[in-house]
Amino acid sequence: MTANNLLSNTRVVRAGYANKARVTEAQFRVETHQDIDLASVKTGEVILRNLYLSLDPYVRFTLDEEGGDTPPERRLLNVPFYGLGVAEVVASGVGKYPVGSLVSANTGYEQYTRISGLDDPNTPSDIRVLPTHARDESKGVPLSNYISALGMPGLTAFAGLKVLDVEAGKTIFVGSAAGGVGQLVGQLAKLQGLRVIGSAGTDEKVSYLVEKQNFDGAFNYKTENAREALTRLAPKGVDYYYDTVGGEILDMMLDFINERGKILSVGMVSQENGEEAYPIRNLKLIARKGVSILGFIYWHHLQYFENGDLDATVRPLLERKEINYREEVFDGIENTPKHFVNMLDGKYAGKVVIKIADL
């Protein structure tokens, strides 16, 4: 605390737009202000001390000046980026968020975040109070998992398989399988009795999927033709496609997938760094083959957070090492721009997390 009772707050702000171009560090600026006064918290507000920050491809859309579904206030220049994080409540004017509790929320790319308006019943809150055992890392489940395997990526994997209504004995193909969502989709599907095939962008990631994460097969989409690889790895075809990639491979899968197959459309990471939209040519096969395409967005499935199903199902699997979840954790809020760009460029394996502070 400084002499004037203000805490120093380092944050990462949007310095410029990338629009349709590749994102670089030029779109980010790191700045520090002394602007956090814990004594100033008002009724309906909390102040969070951020511990871990999730870096996710969807934040790329906030670097386009216009278009997309991102609210305009999330695309303003000279304000902090927003992203999911794990934080400790350090000042509170809301009874259900007491000081000392751990939460996950849209925390901002910053050391401290003030969230207001929580006393307005018409304003939904995305603050999730974490279970008390989240603090216990002695069983091999780090707190950072609450923005990865036990957070939004975990919910997306867990609920996505429920939406697909998968059946044991069938085959699922997971695009971008080495990412924060895909690696968990494959391992959960395997535990449910499916044959699991994945794709990734390096030979090392491919080997890790098979040797450490129990995929039945995987291939490097940068060096092997996807259709040829799937023909080799899934000789009976593919019944489900968990799609986080979109573009050309989605078009191919409409042709390759078995009759009455199901495709879950979760994201289109192939087109999230300024690439032009890929023209899908095989849409006629949806009707001809009876294929179902199901859209997915995680906030339609928050009940699995609220009722504890995600935590009750996945945390024991992590504790017993039945699931091997891969995170890349980097220290320092000031290093966020570099790691965000590298994440979009596919340079990391697993979920990318920034550690801001110790608990």
Side-chain angles (χ1 to χ4, degrees), residues 7 19 25 84 134 140 147 150 194 213 248 251 267 295 306-307 316:
L7 291 173
N19 290 323
E25 292 185 49
L84 292 168
I147 46 170
L150 297 169
L194 281 79
Q213 296 182 319
E248 186 175 2
D251 199 26
E306 295 160 2
N307 64 21

Side-chain angles (χ1 to χ4, degrees), residues 102-226:
L102 295 180
V103 300
S104 66
N106 272 305
T107 58
Y109 285 21
E110 56 190 351
Q111 291 176 295
Y112 293 89
T113 296
R114 182 190 296 266
I115 300 177
S116 304
L118 298 174
D119 54 346
D120 183 351
N122 298 315
T123 302
S125 168
D126 65 359
I127 300 178
R128 169 194 174 204
V129 178
L130 301 183
T132 55
H133 61 239
R135 292 177 176 272
D136 181 8
E137 299 182 309
S138 65
K139 295 182 180 179
V141 181
L143 180 58
S144 58
N145 274 185
Y146 280 88
I147 46 170
S148 59
L150 297 169
M152 184 271 285
L155 177 67
T156 302
F158 179 79
L161 289 171
K162 288 185 177 293
V163 172
L164 278 174
D165 193 22
V166 296
E167 298 178 27
K170 294 194 173 184
T171 298
I172 187 169
F173 169 49
V174 184
S176 191
V181 175
Q183 60 174 309
L184 190 57
V185 171
Q187 293 180 84
L188 289 175
K190 185 66 177 175
L191 290 172
Q192 294 176 46
L194 281 79
R195 179 173 176 80
V196 180
I197 308 300
S199 65
T202 70
D203 291 341
E204 187 276 336
K205 292 178 184 178
V206 167
S207 296
Y208 197 90
L209 290 171
V210 175
E211 296 171 9
K212 302 292 186 180
Q213 296 182 319
N214 297 319
F215 279 60
D216 292 289
F219 64 93
N220 184 340
Y221 67 85
K222 293 182 179 179
T223 60
E224 187 170 2
N225 177 274

Side-chain angles (χ1 to χ4, degrees), residues 74-93:
R74 292 288 173 92
R75 300 197 300 267
L76 296 174
L77 295 181
N78 303 312
V79 299
F81 288 84
Y82 273 79
L84 292 168
V86 168
E88 180 185 27
V89 178
V90 290
S92 178

Side-chain angles (χ1 to χ4, degrees), residues 14-24 26-28 60 62-65 77 273-274 344:
R14 193 173 296 99
Y17 297 112
N19 290 323
K20 299 302 180 182
R22 175 182 171 275
V23 174
T24 70
Q27 278 80 55
F28 301 81
R60 165 65 182 82
T62 71
L63 287 164
D64 288 337
E65 188 170 5
L77 295 181
N273 200 8
L344 284 183

